[in-house]
Amino acid sequence: MASVVSKGPSHDDRAAREPSDLPAARAFDLRDLTVDQIRERRVVRYGVAVVITTVAYVIQRAIWPYIPPSPQLFFYPAIFLAAWFGGTGPGLAATFVSCVWIAHGFLPPEGFFAVSDASDLLDLGLFASVAAGISAAMGRLRAALRRERAAAREAELARRATEATWSMIAHDLRTPLNVIQLSSSELERRLQDDEPDVERAERAVQVIQRSTTRARDLVQDAMDAMRLAGGAMPIERDSYDARELSAEAIDAVNVLAQRKGVRLSMRIDVTRTIDCDAPRVLQVLSNLLGNAIKFTPAGGQVVLSVEDALAGVRFAVTDTGRGISDEELGAIFARYWTRDRAAGIGLGLWIAKAIVEAHGGTLTVRSRLGEGSTFSFVLPTQSAAHLPENERPSSTW
């Protein structure tokens, strides 16, 4: 039986799943890296610092007979460049190497790594102090620029994600809005007849209600997606009875199950209350139950199981549908992933995963083609929810 476990609490909304098998090792190639990635490699940053100061030494040695006796002349720009490229650490490394080169090539006794004159030693110490200050200042400036670039990239990604979400929402909203418009016109026409057809009018009202619910869900998903793109999923905890939450979730999808001809049942074996955001948990359960009903054929069964677990209370939605392939399991929790584009825009499981993780839980899925799937998660009890995160028991199973 194939299974996937969503990653631990993290709002890195890069929700694509990682394969379990690591790729084969291969030779390092700088061409595989961007400029920023190359610059962030420590060996590259410190190597550049040494090379720059060595180049400065070679240049200064070449023109030493033709310039005033200023042994630090080319080393200041070398340290500046090293700190600009690599940060404070490489700048300090360049400072140290520069001091070594100056002592070796430009201060008596030349050719030795030593300084014989006290005034030269004082000048070298002053140079080292100034150079260290330049390195520190350039390191802070570089770090600030990196943070600014990172923030700009995150803002651009969030903007693109928001635009993509709303573009899909706007496209998908056309269908329920058109249905509402047509059904409203049909209902108005039926009610104006001398002998209104009550049965057809009732069907039109039901269609309008379903389309309104669909439009509301689309907008709600868009709002949640924007919150997640901003890096937060607000959770308001309180103590709730798991049995009542489960019964409410079953009631919310019971009509859908009856219409589809799917048997819907609930198995409860829980004694503890849970500490959670009830509307959010209902959102997760409704999504999982709705998906299970959607992909289970008529005559199949969907079961919501609730039971005490080591880490809290475990919820599981099991269906007898067609199951999920290994390829689909690898991306099932990704944003915009959907098996049936006509049924949604692929935000439901991504949002459900984020809600569960915001509660400190883990959303898992186990499936076998032709036999069905089980989605499950564990929510902490009231006592466990108030423990520090590193002291809570594991919620995987």
Side-chain angles (χ1 to χ4, degrees), residues 6-7 10-11 13 15 220-221 224-225 228 233 235 279-289 291 317 332-335 346-364 375-379:
S6 69
K7 297 178 183 178
S10 170
H11 295 130
D13 178 56
Q220 181 62 51
D221 284 348
D224 288 339
L228 285 174
M233 171 58 73
I235 296 295
R280 291 294 187 185
V281 174
L282 285 173
Q283 183 179 349
V284 173
L285 291 174
S286 297
N287 178 271
L288 298 181
L289 289 167
N291 286 343
V317 175
I332 196 169
F333 292 113
R335 178 165 50 176
L347 292 174
L349 284 176
W350 179 65
I351 293 171
K353 169 180 173 289
I355 293 174
V356 171
E357 291 178 350
H359 282 82
T362 305
L363 182 59
T364 69
F375 286 81
S376 64
F377 60 93
V378 176
L379 294 182

Side-chain angles (χ1 to χ4, degrees), residues 58-143:
V58 172
I59 294 175
Q60 183 140 320
R61 287 293 298 175
I63 63 174
W64 181 243
Y66 310 103
I67 62 174
S70 178
Q72 304 93 354
L73 182 62
F74 286 93
F75 289 102
Y76 276 122
I79 292 167
F80 179 90
L81 291 174
W84 172 79
F85 182 85
T88 302
L92 294 175
T95 299
F96 173 78
V97 175
S98 296
C99 290
V100 171
W101 283 129
I102 290 172
H104 178 270
F106 305 105
L107 298 179
E110 293 187 18
F112 296 92
F113 295 104
V115 180
S116 59
D117 189 271
S119 62
D120 288 339
L121 185 61
L122 181 61
D123 287 343
L124 190 61
L126 181 60
F127 163 78
S129 299
V130 174
I134 292 174
S135 300
M138 289 304 300
R140 287 194 294 270
L141 177 61
R142 179 178 181 273

